[in-house]
Amino acid sequence: MLQKAMAFITVPIFTRIMDTAQYGLYSTYLSWSSIFTVLLTLRLESGAYTNVLGKVQNREQQENITISFITLCFCLTTAAMLLVVLFPSFMTALTGLSTSMLVFMLLEIYFIPIVNFWSYRQRFEYKYRVMVIYTLIKSLVNVTVGIALVYLFPTDSQAYGRIISVLLVEGVTGCGLYFRFIMKTHKVFSFHNWTKTLRFQMPLIPHYLSMNLLFSSDRIMISKFIGNAEAGIYNVAYSAGQVMDILKMCLVDTVRPWVYEKLNQNEYSKISRFSFLLISVMTLISVAY
């Protein structure tokens, strides 16, 4: 919740220092980024990886599967990068983003699964103190570097400044965590794990993709049919309306390790009682909001 709250807190900052059209362009970039992230990372951390952490107790095996999943995401992202390089006009026409923006997006997506896998591991091991410290430092650095680069870039390129700032922070964090993973195993891929993972995860992709399309399609269409400035104005109001969705997703991510633990222990009644309580609380908060 702290991590997501920082995104809302910084909205007024960047709307003040960025040109309206540039802020709208950055919002459109984020919308496409969320869609490509689902396609290229398969949201493994929310499905197959969570399942692995819940069932596989051997630490070495967990490390091997983690690095194998990261390599699978790398391969998919590299394939997308080749499409952008070989067919830039098609990808630009499809997204409305420049080729350089698409390259920056894919570079960022290389690091997203690394950070996500590490974060889910901390949740499963109940290392919340580590997560809070990491979240605070990363969020503060992200905002500080973002403000600095937005001011350094010309007015008509401020979106690039914000994009590069996020890429730098994600890149430094991702590289550090990747070397931490790679030092604990020498097996960077496993076709057996990939086959099992794809069979498990692929049926979930339409669900993950539909949610992202629902959240992102409006900003993409406004940018394409009306303009980036209008998309930026819309995104400010949309961010306020997202509060409840973010709260719900944060609670689900937090509870997920406990749910898998109880599933392994066949304690279904506890899950049922807690789920009913959680749904009731969220309903009351939604009505009040």
Side-chain angles (χ1 to χ4, degrees):
M1 292 174 66
L2 178 66
Q3 185 178 20
K4 299 299 183 182
M6 289 298 292
F8 290 108
I9 293 170
T10 57
V11 166
I13 299 174
F14 287 105
T15 54
R16 294 296 186 280
I17 65 176
M18 292 180 70
D19 177 74
T20 306
Q22 288 296 301
Y23 184 75
L25 179 59
Y26 178 64
S27 301
T28 305
Y29 169 89
L30 290 179
S31 298
W32 278 110
S33 178
S34 66
I35 293 171
F36 278 108
T37 299
V38 172
L39 295 173
L40 302 179
T41 68
L42 307 178
R43 288 289 301 274
L44 290 174
E45 74 282 355
S46 296
Y49 191 62
T50 305
N51 188 49
V52 166
L53 293 179
K55 292 182 177 179
V56 178
Q57 302 301 320
N58 183 279
R59 187 77 177 185
E60 183 179 352
Q61 193 175 356
Q62 285 184 351
E63 299 292 348
N64 288 338
I65 293 173
T66 300
I67 202 69
S68 177
F69 283 2
I70 291 173
T71 305
L72 175 59
C73 296
F74 282 179
C75 291
L76 294 174
T77 306
T78 301
M81 184 72 80
L82 289 174
L83 283 176
V84 170
V85 173
L86 296 175
F87 308 101
S89 57
F90 171 76
M91 297 300 293
T92 299
L94 175 66
T95 62
L97 302 175
S98 65
T99 303
S100 55
M101 275 193 174
L102 290 170
V103 170
F104 288 142
M105 180 192 299
L106 294 175
L107 288 175
E108 183 183 342
I109 292 174
Y110 272 113
F111 303 111
I112 288 175
I114 303 173
V115 176
N116 286 345
F117 290 145
W118 178 83
S119 299
Y120 270 77
R121 174 74 69 82
Q122 306 314 301
R123 292 192 184 103
F124 261 86
E125 296 176 356
Y126 298 104
K127 295 180 180 178
Y128 290 107
R129 184 178 299 177
V130 175
M131 278 296 296
V132 169
I133 294 172
Y134 163 80
T135 298
L136 276 174
I137 294 174
K138 181 183 175 183
S139 299
L140 291 173
V141 172
N142 195 332
V143 173
T144 304
V145 176
I147 293 172
L149 289 185
V150 166
Y151 272 120
L152 286 173
F153 275 68
T155 304
D156 60 352
S157 303
Q158 289 176 326
Y160 281 94
R162 184 67 183 114
I163 290 168
I164 292 172
S165 69
V166 175
L167 175 59
L168 288 173
V169 176
E170 290 289 343
V172 171
T173 306
C175 286
L177 293 175
Y178 181 74
F179 284 115
R180 182 178 177 179
F181 280 130
I182 206 72
M183 291 294 289
K184 297 180 180 180
T185 180
H186 301 290
K187 193 175 183 179
V188 296
F189 68 90
S190 168
F191 288 113
H192 175 68
N193 285 336
W194 288 5
T195 304
K196 288 178 61 178
T197 299
L198 291 173
R199 281 204 306 264
F200 180 93
Q201 196 71 16
M202 290 307 290
L204 298 173
I205 297 302
H207 165 67
Y208 294 138
L209 192 58
S210 65
M211 295 299 293
N212 280 273
L213 288 172
L214 179 64
F215 292 146
S216 305
S217 57
D218 45 7
R219 282 166 289 180
I220 292 173
M221 288 190 291
I222 290 172
S223 174
K224 195 172 186 66
F225 294 123
I226 305 177
N228 288 324
E230 288 77 7
I233 294 170
Y234 173 82
N235 188 64
V236 176
Y238 184 84
S239 297
Q242 264 191 314
V243 171
M244 287 308 303
D245 287 320
I246 296 298
L247 176 61
K248 180 194 70 176
M249 286 188 287
C250 289
L251 288 173
V252 169
D253 284 343
T254 304
V255 171
R256 185 179 283 116
W258 178 84
V259 170
Y260 271 85
E261 182 181 310
K262 297 305 174 186
L263 285 172
N264 286 333
Q265 297 169 1
N266 297 323
E267 297 180 2
Y268 307 117
S269 59
K270 289 186 178 181
I271 299 174
S272 179
R273 288 196 299 271
F274 185 77
S275 298
F276 178 78
L277 176 63
L278 190 62
I279 292 170
S280 300
V281 171
M282 286 302 300
T283 301
L284 289 173
I285 294 175
S286 298
V287 171
Y289 182 73

